[in-house]
């Protein structure tokens, strides 16, 4: 179905586009351009003086042994967030798709967490996981598990992964549920007559037919984990303890805003941009081949 | 080797009784068509045999084994769906092999069976294609191939031809008939199309509002409809259903406005009683002599081989008349018409059922003498 609006004159369509274009320019293109410019300049902390330094900033970043550690944390963090939020969302969607009493209520409730701002979600997680006042934190310490994410890097990473995934699960859930409902009932019925049980039906029919949705969500989730989890990490751990939860995006903030190394921070931004572009391209190149579009 | 038996099968959705006690047994190798208008419960009945819907009451047995508590996969049936329900992400080969793989047949046997079935259905050149690369008719054949290759005890068809265009439908109808005759597998076939039902069926089960109106061979149903519903549903154009009253002498029916038609036998005991009279359009014939009915022509549809006249009988009741060839009757013409007494169908206006006295052999014998 195609609907086309016909406008008289040129002005109105441009006016209607203007707000979106303005937002894109102001918050995406301009900062990206600034990052590119800054990444090849050395600036004093107050931005009063700058000098063109070719790729010295990149050299400095890539030769820093700490940077490799940050890359490792980022990869681990992103894989865990994407994997966890996709698999939990798929499980919930598959369950919500069956005929159960109150399915509509479950669906609404599962969508709610997406409306939470990252900082608020993080505070909720603090109330749960704080070793002294958190519900679960206290319980775990009470059982002698030695829970303190402020000291234990592994525990801190686990917590930010859970917090970052929680919100994304809602988002993925909506898409998976829509994808599941788009699969014709009769195809699944044909499979059950052909002798396939529920588990077999899921893996041989449902999952392959869901692949366009899964692929789209994989791209979105990886981009989310790399780029959009700053707020969660900042509110929960500030990259600590040590650098155990410092991802690439958090380090950009750390070096640029806290340490005032604008050139180095911008170089990292550019590297991050390249990584995400490359990841998306790889996903399209290799994984999309296995995707079946009906 | 397999019969399909339904005993007092019911289905209830809350307070609504969708299927109200259906009793039917398909003999081994029989082609049984479930025919009815949409919403009559025929698809539900088929899905209950398949195990896709639970039954509320009664029993279903396939090959003498009670199956109504079993999962679809344990019922040894195969089903062809209206929208084919092919697995869109699998090749034609994999679509047909899916059920065999699940049953754990050896690879060589799967290949042999699929190849044999594909050749029978002329699908061999398309085994590597995806369903989306096939035409409607080919998809339909793959759906049948997927059923055939499993060698089940019974085939279930759920309106398999309704997504095809008219020409392809006729062609596939013949193929289904041929295939079923060749394989000799008991088949249940759901359709709302009476032509499909008449041409395919060994027997037809006519359903209306969850009730079996009549079960019988196609021509038996056509020539002796058991109820007003069947009479009106089978046949195109449909049977004329007229309000009539038994004449005082019991030897004829009065249609109002002076119209009278002779009965084959006397029904004197019920003189003056109202009845519903059914006459098929092809049994209403123009006549030279007086004393019958008269039809005022309103509209004439010439189809070439035959012509259908739409008009009103004496007393204003609408009627249709079907004649061979291309007679030149114009709107406004008044035709004297009559019907052979043996071609009259009488129904009880209260119950809608065929009058039992018209089923008695004696009535039929007297009918012959009355004609001569």
């Amino acid at each position: 179905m195609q609907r086309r609006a016909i406008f008289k004159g040129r002005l109105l369509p441009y006016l209607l586009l203007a707000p979106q274009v303005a937002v894109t320019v102001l918050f995406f293109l301009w900062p990206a351009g600034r990052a590119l410019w800054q990444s090849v300049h050395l600036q004093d902390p107050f931005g009063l003086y700058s000098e063109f330094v070719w790729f010295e900033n990149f050299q400095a970043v890539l030769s820093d042994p700490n940077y490799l550690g940050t890359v490792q944390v980022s990869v681990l963090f992103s894989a865990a967030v994407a994997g966890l939020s996709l698999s939990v969302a798929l499980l919930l969607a598959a369950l919500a798709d069956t005929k159960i009493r109150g399915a509509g209520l479950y669906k609404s409730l599962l969508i709610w967490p997406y409306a939470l701002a990252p900082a608020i979600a993080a505070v909720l997680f603090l109330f749960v996981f704080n070793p002294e006042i958190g519900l679960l934190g206290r319980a775990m310490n009470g059982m002698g598990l030695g829970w303190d994410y402020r000291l234990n890097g592994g525990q801190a990473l686990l917590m930010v992964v859970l917090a970052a995934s929680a919100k994304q699960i809602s988002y993925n859930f909506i898409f998976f549920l829509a994808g599941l409902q788009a699969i014709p009932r009769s195809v699944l019925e044909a499979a059950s007559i052909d002798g396939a049980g529920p588990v077999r039906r899921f893996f041989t029919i449902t999952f392959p037919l869901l692949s366009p949705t899964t692929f789209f969500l994989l791209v979105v989730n990886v981009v989310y984990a790399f780029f959009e989890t700053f707020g969660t990490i900042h509110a929960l751990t500030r990259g600590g303890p040590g650098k155990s939860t410092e991802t690439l995006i958090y380090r950009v903030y750390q070096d640029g805003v806290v340490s005032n190394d604008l050139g180095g921070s911008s170089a990292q931004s550019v590297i991050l941009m390249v990584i995400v572009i490359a990841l998306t391209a790889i996903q399209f190149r290799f994984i999309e081949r296995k995707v079946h579009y009906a | 080797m397999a019969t399909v038996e339904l005993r007092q099968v019911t289905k209830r959705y809350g307070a609504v009784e969708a299927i109200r006690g259906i009793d039917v047994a398909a003999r081994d190798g029989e082609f049984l068509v479930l025919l009815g208008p949409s919403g009559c419960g025929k698809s539900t009945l088929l899905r209950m045999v398949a195990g896709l819907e639970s039954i509320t009451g009664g029993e279903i047995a396939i090959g003498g084994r009670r199956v109504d508590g079993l999962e679809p996969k344990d019922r040894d049936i195969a089903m062809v769906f209206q929208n084919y329900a092919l697995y869109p992400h699998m090749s034609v080969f994999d679509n047909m092999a899916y059920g065999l793989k699940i049953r754990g047949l050896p690879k060589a046997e799967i290949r042999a069976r699929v190849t044999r079935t594909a050749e029978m259905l002329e699908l061999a050149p398309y085994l590597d294609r995806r369903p989306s690369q096939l035409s409607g008719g080919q998809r339909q054949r793959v759906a049948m191939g997927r059923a055939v290759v499993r060698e089940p005890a019974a085939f279930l068809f759920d309106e398999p031809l309704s997504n095809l265009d008219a020409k392809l439908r006729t062609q596939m109808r013949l193929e289904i008939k041929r295939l079923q005759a060749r394989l000799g597998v008991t088949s249940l076939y759901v359709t709302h199309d009476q032509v499909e039902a008449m041409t395919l069926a060994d027997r037809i089960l006519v359903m209306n509002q969850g009730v079996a109106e009549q079960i019988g061979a196609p021509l038996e149903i056509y020539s002796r409809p058991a109820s007003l519903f069947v009479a009106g549903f089978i046949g195109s154009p449909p049977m004329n259903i007229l309000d009539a009253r038994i004449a005082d002498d019991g030897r004829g029916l009065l249609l109002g406005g002076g119209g009278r038609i002779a009965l084959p036998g006397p029904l004197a005991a019920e003189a003056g009683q109202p009845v519903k009279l059914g006459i098929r359009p092809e049994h209403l014939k123009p006549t030279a002599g007086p004393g019958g009915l008269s039809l005022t022509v309103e509209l004439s549809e010439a189809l070439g081989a035959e012509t259908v006249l739409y008009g009103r009988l004496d007393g204003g009741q609408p009627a249709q008349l079907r004649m061979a060839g291309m007679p030149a009757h114009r709107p406004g013409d008044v035709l004297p018409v009559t019907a052979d007494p043996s071609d009259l169908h009488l129904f009880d206006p209260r119950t809608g059922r065929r009058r039992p006295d018209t089923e008695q052999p004696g009535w039929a014998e007297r009918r012959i003498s009355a004609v001569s």
Side-chain angles (χ1 to χ4, degrees):
Chain A
M1 198 169 61
Q2 225 176 10
R3 282 172 60 182
R4 195 177 275 182
I6 309 287
F7 294 109
K8 289 177 196 161
R10 290 260 175 107
L11 188 62
L12 184 61
Y14 284 115
L15 266 176
L16 291 173
L17 273 178
Q20 181 62 48
V21 171
V23 167
T24 309
V25 169
L26 198 62
F27 291 103
F28 293 92
L29 296 181
W30 185 59
R34 283 292 290 178
L36 274 171
W37 185 85
Q38 284 183 341
S39 68
V40 289
H41 285 78
L42 191 63
Q43 271 184 307
D44 72 313
F46 308 106
L48 299 172
Y49 158 87
S50 67
E51 185 194 346
F52 184 67
V53 293
W54 287 104
F55 298 114
E56 269 177 35
N57 288 325
F58 289 93
Q59 250 170 8
V61 166
L62 294 174
S63 60
D64 182 348
N66 278 334
Y67 193 69
L68 189 67
T70 307
V71 171
Q72 280 172 347
V73 169
S74 271
V75 169
L76 193 64
F77 173 78
S78 302
V81 169
L84 186 69
S85 56
L86 282 174
S87 50
V88 173
L90 181 56
L91 180 70
L92 291 175
L95 294 177
D97 191 37
T98 53
K99 287 181 202 157
I100 46 170
R101 198 183 289 258
L105 185 69
Y106 289 126
K107 286 172 199 168
S108 308
L109 290 179
L110 280 164
I111 292 164
W112 278 6
Y114 192 62
L116 276 186
I120 295 170
V123 169
L124 290 178
F125 267 82
L126 284 183
F127 276 120
V128 175
F129 284 109
N130 186 287
E132 280 110 32
I133 60 163
L135 213 64
L136 247 140
R138 277 175 66 97
M140 284 191 284
N141 279 326
M143 288 188 289
L145 283 174
W147 172 264
D148 194 344
Y149 63 88
R150 292 166 304 188
L151 303 173
N152 184 320
Q155 291 177 357
L157 191 59
L158 178 69
M159 191 173 69
V160 288
V161 165
L162 288 178
S165 304
K167 177 187 177 177
Q168 207 60 13
I169 287 172
S170 301
Y171 180 85
N172 296 343
F173 170 79
I174 300 170
F175 280 87
F176 274 134
L177 190 62
L180 285 172
Q181 287 176 346
I183 296 175
R185 275 303 132 217
S186 59
V187 171
L188 294 171
E189 287 172 352
S192 64
I193 288 179
D194 264 347
V199 176
R200 186 162 201 144
R201 279 204 298 276
F202 181 82
F203 284 105
T204 57
I205 309 287
T206 309
F207 193 69
L209 291 181
L210 216 48
S211 59
T213 307
T214 313
F215 173 67
F216 160 76
L217 287 178
L218 181 68
V219 174
V220 168
N221 279 268
V222 167
V223 170
Y224 164 82
F226 265 93
F227 268 134
E228 292 170 38
T229 46
F230 169 80
T232 307
I233 294 174
H234 190 60
L236 280 176
T237 63
R238 297 181 182 262
K243 291 189 176 298
S244 54
T245 55
E246 188 186 71
T247 60
L248 289 169
I249 191 77
Y250 198 77
R251 193 185 165 108
V252 169
Y253 162 81
Q254 196 73 24
D255 287 1
V257 180
V258 180
S259 313
N260 274 325
D261 176 11
L262 292 181
S265 166
S266 299
Q268 290 175 36
S269 300
V270 173
I271 292 172
L272 199 49
M273 266 191 264
V274 171
I275 289 176
V276 171
I277 290 169
L279 268 179
T280 309
I282 287 170
Q283 285 172 338
F284 269 97
R285 179 90 174 72
F286 295 103
I287 302 179
E288 202 196 10
R289 281 190 195 168
K290 298 194 194 300
V291 171
H292 169 80
Y293 292 101
Chain B
M1 284 20 69
T3 55
V4 178
E5 292 157 84
L6 280 70
R7 295 182 210 108
Q8 280 303 308
V9 171
T10 57
K11 177 75 182 180
R12 186 183 280 279
Y13 298 102
V16 184
E17 205 163 23
I19 304 282
R20 293 187 258 174
I22 299 275
D23 261 310
V24 66
R27 293 183 286 265
D28 179 35
E30 187 176 27
F31 202 117
L32 180 73
V33 170
L34 311 180
L35 176 69
S38 50
C40 73
K42 57 192 191 298
S43 277
T44 307
L45 192 63
L46 191 78
R47 290 169 61 81
M48 294 197 301
V49 176
L52 299 172
E53 299 271 354
S54 61
I55 64 172
T56 310
E59 287 180 20
I60 299 173
I62 297 174
R65 182 176 61 120
R66 197 167 162 190
V67 297
D68 49 64
L70 300 180
E71 288 292 310
K73 66 186 169 77
D74 300 321
R75 297 191 180 196
D76 197 17
I77 43 106
M79 187 155 165
V80 178
F81 291 82
Q82 181 175 357
N83 63 359
Y84 320 136
L86 300 177
Y87 311 126
H89 57 299
M90 294 184 196
S91 67
V92 169
F93 181 92
D94 288 333
N95 261 282
M96 287 171 36
Y98 185 75
L100 304 180
K101 279 181 190 161
I102 288 174
R103 273 197 275 162
L105 292 189
K107 275 212 167 114
E109 195 189 336
I110 293 178
R111 183 154 288 280
R113 273 216 218 176
V114 172
T115 315
R116 185 156 23 99
T117 309
E119 268 161 20
M120 185 167 69
L121 290 164
E122 292 165 30
L123 285 170
Y126 310 112
L127 282 176
D128 293 329
R129 296 218 192 151
R130 292 270 175 89
S132 56
Q133 296 164 303
L134 299 176
S135 69
Q138 288 164 341
R139 283 180 214 184
Q140 175 61 59
R141 278 208 286 269
V142 176
M144 291 204 305
R146 189 171 63 181
V148 168
V149 79
R150 298 226 337 258
E151 298 175 8
F155 289 141
L156 308 177
F157 297 91
D158 190 5
E159 309 216 14
L161 302 182
S162 52
N163 280 5
L164 299 176
D165 63 51
K167 194 179 165 193
L168 209 49
R169 200 179 306 163
T170 313
Q171 187 191 330
M172 290 304 297
R173 203 171 71 207
L174 284 171
E175 280 191 37
I176 289 181
K177 180 77 178 164
R178 228 176 265 146
L179 189 72
Q180 199 269 344
R182 177 169 163 187
L183 299 172
V185 177
T186 316
S187 300
L188 265 59
Y189 185 108
V190 162
T191 183
H192 62 267
D193 182 322
Q194 51 166 308
V195 179
E196 269 174 39
M198 296 294 283
T199 51
L200 286 171
D202 293 324
R203 279 193 303 161
I204 299 176
L205 166 66
V206 186
M207 284 182 72
N208 180 34
Q209 297 181 348
V211 173
E213 291 272 342
Q214 189 172 5
I215 302 170
L219 291 181
E220 188 184 324
I221 286 180
Y222 187 82
S223 49
R224 298 184 81 77
S227 67
L228 276 172
F229 174 81
V230 178
F233 192 75
I234 302 269
S236 173
M239 184 185 278
N240 297 301
I241 308 283
L242 307 165
D243 286 316
R245 195 168 282 280
I246 298 171
D248 288 339
D249 60 4
R251 295 190 166 274
L253 294 174
L254 304 175
L255 277 84
R260 182 189 162 110
I261 195 158
L263 277 173
L267 290 170
E270 290 170 280
Q273 290 294 310
V275 292
K276 289 274 186 187
L277 168 66
I279 312 174
R280 293 218 177 270
E282 65 267 31
H283 291 150
L284 207 53
K285 293 182 184 105
T287 170
L293 306 165
S294 59
L295 179 85
T296 311
V297 178
E298 290 179 334
L299 197 72
S300 157
E301 277 181 355
L303 301 169
E306 61 179 39
T307 300
V308 181
L309 299 180
Y310 296 82
R312 288 186 185 273
L313 290 171
D314 326 64
Q317 299 198 59
Q320 299 169 25
L321 188 157
R322 186 181 191 177
M323 303 162 79
M326 295 169 261
H329 293 298
R330 312 201 142 271
D333 286 1
V334 178
L335 286 179
V337 292
T338 187
D340 193 315
S342 64
D343 290 330
L344 304 183
H345 305 268
L346 266 58
F347 301 94
D348 186 322
R350 281 161 307 173
T351 62
R353 305 299 297 179
R354 192 181 187 86
R355 280 179 64 108
D357 45 14
T358 63
E359 300 289 351
Q360 287 162 10
W363 207 71
E365 276 160 26
R366 261 174 283 145
R367 175 182 75 193
I368 292 162
S369 61
V371 172
S372 60

